[in-house]
């Protein structure tokens, strides 16, 4: 029998439910269990693919082509289980499925209602991993008390009755605000949010309390009394310098044993502590380098979450702490902004805003031999930069200038037919073949790779011979027709991909393109 852990959130959003859930998943994995994770987002968008990064941060792309919440990136990085379309749900997706079924006449004439039709659809989505995994952790997005998350919480309540109390538990993440004038942590908001949960029939088994200060035993007792959880199940989640340190903090407080006991599980292995050891070493490095991410959402780090994490993870495996500098390609002067960095990444993006700054950043990296990694739009800008500055063409992407004389970035026929914006890009894993003798081959050490894509436009192959004469070599192709990687051989590290390598980095397994970037960055600037 598979077990299920719901993670809910109270008091405020952005509590780190995803990180708490992922930490629990990691701890259970370290005891030998097969763990998978599911995210439920209560908004009406079918997926976050059409949402602005200002609203939602990064869109994470799964190997099978789902556009998903950035929490799925955290899940993958913590548990190294590939996320799929079945790991992500939104209210929009649920309602779409219910309405489509109704239109097909499959409800046999009954009135379609939130209970049971919507909740049944949601419950179906809790169990796709039931046969293949020992435990599924299901994070319900939003904050308890929101109107829109109610159907998900109601489904969770029903689910516990159906699956049995010993098979389902709830972990509630909450906040203990600190009032400086009273020098006190306050429990009242937590009490209220637990009451809200209980009103809808869910009793939390564990409280994960975000706090800036240690929680005293008497405070734990008080929370226990008012919220009906055992004092040992009140878990302190104080801010940690690195999110990867959180599992050990939970382990020290006995959370893994408590969950194992509560769900009547038998650990398959002992946690030998080696993962904690790696993390502790990798997060206490003295040497530091600064790497720039040059994009238009510089004031919004969540827009580049997986890129920044990939840089940090590559640093952890190369014994150097990576400080990320967010450079604004719309406002900053690249010559000034990139002067003191050891490498630069130009990440993916959409639309014309900030493009000239990205092209400036690439020119600066090319001319100053600054290690450079271009991602998706970053690769397209790299093609435009060579075309304009070396081949002296009036060149552009048709995304920015549909009537440009030289459309070095263009659109494939099938994309021209697309009418709807959502879910219609070239999405998910595509194969690429790497040429031997290239930097890409040196980094990947293989000729066949699969990488995740999310784009509509492509490098126009008509321009490949000319731009290769100017040093921009295509080192990987998809089926010999679509350029996948470009690189320069007159530069220590200048490489860009039409895909998103940032979604495939893990602790102890940095992505080859980021690993190479950090190795080159260490050489570029003598590490302090
Ligand atoms: N806007 C570009 C395209 O659609 C690049 C997309 C991206 O960087 N993810 O092709």
């Amino acid at each position: 029998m598979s077990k299920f852990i719901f993670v809910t959130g109270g008091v405020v959003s952005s509590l780190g439910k995803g990180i708490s859930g992922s930490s629990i998943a990691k701890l259970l994995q370290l005891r030998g269990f097969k763990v998978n994770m599911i995210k439920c987002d209560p908004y009406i968008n079918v997926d976050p693919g059409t949402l602005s990064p200002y609203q939602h941060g990064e869109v994470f792309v799964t190997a099978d082509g789902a556009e998903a919440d950035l929490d799925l990136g955290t899940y993958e990085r913590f548990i190294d289980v590939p996320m799929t379309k079945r790991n992500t749900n939104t209210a929009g997706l649920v309602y779409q499925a219910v309405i489509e079924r109704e239109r097909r006449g499959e409800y046999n004439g009954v009135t379609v209602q939130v209970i049971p039709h919507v909740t049944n659809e949601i419950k179906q989505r809790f169990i796709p991993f039931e046969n293949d995994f020992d435990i599924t952790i299901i994070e319900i997005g939003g904050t308890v008390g929101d109107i829109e998350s109610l159907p998900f919480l109601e489904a969770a309540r029903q689910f516990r009755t159906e699956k049995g109390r010993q098979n389902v538990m709830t972990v509630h993440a909450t906040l203990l605000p600190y009032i400086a004038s009273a020098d006190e942590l306050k429990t009242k908001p937590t009490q209220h949010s637990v009451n809200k949960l209980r009103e809808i029939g869910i009793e939390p088994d564990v409280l994960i309390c975000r706090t800036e200060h240690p929680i005293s035993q008497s405070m734990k007792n008080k929370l226990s009394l008012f919220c009906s959880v055992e004092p040992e199940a009140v878990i302190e989640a104080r801010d940690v310098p690195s999110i990867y340190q959180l599992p050990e903090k939970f382990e020290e407080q006995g959370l893994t044993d408590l969950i194992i006991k509560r769900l009547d599980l038998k650990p398959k292995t002992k946690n030998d502590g080696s993962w904690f050891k790696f993390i502790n070493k990798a997060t206490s490095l003295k040497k530091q380098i600064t790497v720039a991410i040059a994009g238009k959402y510089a004031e919004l780090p969540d827009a580049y979450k997986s890129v920044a994490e990939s840089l940090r993870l590559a640093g952890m495996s190369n014994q150097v702490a990576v400080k990320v500098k967010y450079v604004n390609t719309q406002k900053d002067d690249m010559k000034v902004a990139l002067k003191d960095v050891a490498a630069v990444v130009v990440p993916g993006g959409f639309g014309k805003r900030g493009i000239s700054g990205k092209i400036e950043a690439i020119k600066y990296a090319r001319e100053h031999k600054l290690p450079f990694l271009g991602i998706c739009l970053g690769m397209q800008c790299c093609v435009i930069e060579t075309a304009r500055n070396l081949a002296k063409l009036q060149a552009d992407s048709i995304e920015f200038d549909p009537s440009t004389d030289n459309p070095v970035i263009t659109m494939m026929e099938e994309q021209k037919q697309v009418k709807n914006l959502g879910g219609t890009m070239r999405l998910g894993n595509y194969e690429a073949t790497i040429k031997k003798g290239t930097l890409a081959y040196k980094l990947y050490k293989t000729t066949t790779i699969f990488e995740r894509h999310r784009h509509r436009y492509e490098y126009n192959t008509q321009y490949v011979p000319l731009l290769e004469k100017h040093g921009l070599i295509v080192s990987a192709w998809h089926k010999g027709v679509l350029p996948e990687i470009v690189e320069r051989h007159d530069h220590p590290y200048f490489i860009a991909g039409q895909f998103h390598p940032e979604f495939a980095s893990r602790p102890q397994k940095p992505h080859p393109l980021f690993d190479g970037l950090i190795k080159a960055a260490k050489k570029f600037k003598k590490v302090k």
Side-chain angles (χ1 to χ4, degrees):
M1 181 66 182
S2 189
K3 308 280 179 173
F4 298 86
I5 303 173
F6 287 100
V7 180
T8 57
V11 183
V12 290
S13 59
S14 308
L15 274 176
K17 288 197 295 289
I19 297 166
S20 294
S22 301
S23 298
I24 292 171
K26 184 79 213 169
L27 290 169
L28 291 166
Q29 237 185 12
L30 292 171
R31 300 288 182 99
F33 297 109
K34 286 184 76 184
V35 188
N36 210 330
M37 301 186 73
I38 291 176
K39 178 81 198 270
C40 295
D41 276 307
Y43 49 71
I44 304 293
N45 303 62
V46 172
D47 63 44
T50 53
L51 278 173
S52 154
Y54 286 114
Q55 294 268 312
H56 197 272
E58 152 189 297
V59 173
F60 185 79
V61 183
T62 62
D64 67 347
E67 296 176 277
D69 186 84
L70 53 76
D71 275 323
L72 266 76
T74 308
Y75 303 169
E76 273 208 18
R77 286 187 284 273
F78 269 78
I79 61 174
D80 199 11
V81 170
M83 294 291 120
T84 66
K85 290 181 175 162
R86 298 188 302 167
N87 297 73
T88 170
N89 297 295
T90 65
L93 201 61
V94 169
Y95 279 95
Q96 191 181 47
V98 170
I99 291 169
E100 280 173 5
R101 193 169 301 136
E102 184 274 332
R103 291 289 82 185
R104 290 195 299 269
E106 289 177 24
Y107 288 110
N108 290 331
V110 304
T111 308
V112 180
Q113 294 180 302
V114 172
I115 304 170
H117 303 103
V118 170
T119 47
N120 283 352
E121 177 62 34
I122 295 172
K123 282 185 286 178
Q124 277 309 308
R125 290 164 185 268
F126 291 160
I127 55 171
F129 310 112
E130 168 167 67
N131 296 327
D132 306 316
F133 288 83
D134 303 310
I135 302 154
T136 304
I137 299 186
I138 303 158
E139 181 187 345
I140 312 277
T143 308
V144 171
D146 295 349
I147 289 176
E148 53 182 16
S149 61
L150 272 176
F152 285 99
L153 293 169
E154 167 59 18
R157 183 194 67 79
Q158 295 173 12
F159 193 74
R160 176 154 120 169
T161 316
E162 286 164 25
K163 293 281 173 190
R165 196 185 168 277
Q166 71 285 7
N167 297 317
V168 182
M169 67 182 284
T170 302
V171 171
H172 187 57
T174 172
L175 175 75
L176 299 184
Y178 174 72
I179 305 295
S181 57
D183 188 23
E184 233 185 340
L185 289 173
K186 291 293 180 188
T187 64
K188 193 69 80 189
T190 298
Q191 294 177 37
H192 282 303
S193 82
V194 170
N195 276 344
K196 269 265 162 258
L197 259 186
R198 287 161 65 187
E199 262 171 37
I200 46 182
I202 297 178
E203 288 207 334
D205 301 281
V206 172
L207 293 181
I208 304 246
C209 304
R210 271 299 287 271
T211 163
E212 289 167 37
H213 299 274
I215 312 177
S216 63
Q217 191 54 49
S218 66
M219 177 103 8
K220 286 189 176 181
N221 293 343
K222 185 173 173 187
L223 281 162
S224 162
L225 181 69
F226 281 96
C227 303
S228 301
V229 296
E230 296 154 24
E232 320 63 88
V234 180
I235 305 293
E236 174 186 298
R238 240 187 310 160
D239 297 349
V240 273
S242 162
I243 55 171
Y244 302 105
Q245 292 168 337
L246 198 61
E248 188 172 7
K249 301 282 170 225
F250 285 176
E251 178 77 22
E252 284 165 2
Q253 296 176 69
L255 180 57
T256 329
D257 291 327
L258 190 138
I259 292 172
I260 285 172
K261 195 169 144 218
R262 167 68 182 76
L263 291 176
D264 198 17
L265 288 158
K266 288 200 178 41
K268 298 184 181 173
T269 50
K270 265 182 94 172
N271 178 350
D272 67 4
S274 55
W275 197 80
F276 296 157
K277 219 178 266 165
F278 167 78
I279 296 298
N280 284 332
K281 209 167 146 223
T283 50
S284 55
L285 298 162
K286 291 204 176 59
K287 293 172 185 171
Q288 182 178 297
I289 54 170
T290 303
V291 178
I293 298 179
K296 66 178 170 184
Y297 298 111
E299 72 287 7
L300 190 81
D302 262 2
Y304 304 118
K305 180 139 183 131
S306 291
V307 178
E309 279 304 313
S310 291
L311 290 169
R312 292 188 197 107
L313 292 173
M316 282 160 76
S317 288
N318 282 287
Q319 287 75 51
V320 61
V322 175
K323 183 166 176 264
V324 177
K325 176 175 181 179
Y326 296 94
V327 171
N328 188 325
T329 52
Q330 213 182 356
K331 296 193 191 126
D332 297 342
D333 176 348
M334 292 305 133
K335 290 185 202 77
V336 179
L338 300 181
K339 225 170 107 188
D340 58 350
V341 302
V344 58
V345 179
V346 176
F350 295 83
K352 199 175 167 133
R353 190 164 65 85
I355 289 298
S356 58
K358 289 183 184 175
I359 293 171
E360 269 309 302
I362 295 166
K363 180 169 186 274
Y364 181 95
R366 179 172 58 75
E367 291 178 345
H368 292 80
K369 309 276 183 231
L370 176 68
F372 161 73
L373 172 61
I375 296 175
C376 208
L377 183 65
M379 164 176 156
Q380 298 175 354
C381 288
C382 180
V383 171
I384 300 171
E385 195 275 327
T386 305
R388 284 187 190 169
N389 296 333
L390 297 176
K392 306 291 178 203
L393 299 175
Q394 294 248 334
D396 215 329
S397 162
I398 63 161
E399 181 179 5
F400 315 131
D401 179 5
S403 55
T404 174
D405 290 344
N406 291 289
V408 287
I409 305 297
T410 187
M411 198 182 251
M412 286 195 318
E413 277 313 308
E414 62 182 52
Q415 277 295 332
K416 290 184 190 156
Q417 315 306 326
V418 164
K419 298 230 161 37
N420 279 350
L421 280 188
T424 52
M425 279 186 266
R426 187 180 178 218
L427 285 170
N429 264 10
Y430 283 87
E431 186 180 326
T433 309
I434 298 178
K435 280 196 214 153
K436 287 197 171 160
T438 58
L439 172 61
Y441 183 74
K442 202 174 132 205
L443 294 166
Y444 281 96
K445 302 183 180 68
T446 177
T447 51
T448 305
I449 58 165
F450 291 86
E451 292 283 9
R452 298 182 205 189
H453 292 67
R454 182 173 182 251
H455 59 108
R456 283 188 209 287
Y457 300 89
E458 310 279 351
Y459 181 4
N460 185 343
T461 50
Q462 282 176 25
Y463 291 89
V464 170
L466 174 67
L467 300 190
E468 285 205 329
K469 277 195 200 115
H470 290 282
L472 193 68
I473 311 295
V474 176
S475 53
W477 291 82
H478 172 67
K479 298 196 167 146
V481 289
L482 297 176
E484 289 280 346
I485 302 180
V486 297
E487 60 186 55
R488 298 195 70 88
H489 295 167
D490 55 1
H491 190 288
Y493 195 88
F494 188 100
I495 192 159
Q498 186 52 81
F499 46 83
H500 290 272
E502 71 271 28
F503 300 138
S505 301
R506 312 272 180 268
Q508 296 174 303
K509 275 199 260 170
H511 186 282
L513 296 184
F514 283 94
D515 191 45
L517 184 77
I518 297 301
K519 285 193 165 79
K522 279 174 78 176
K523 282 192 205 139
F524 176 78
K525 197 162 227 175
K526 274 275 154 270
V527 169
K528 276 177 231 144

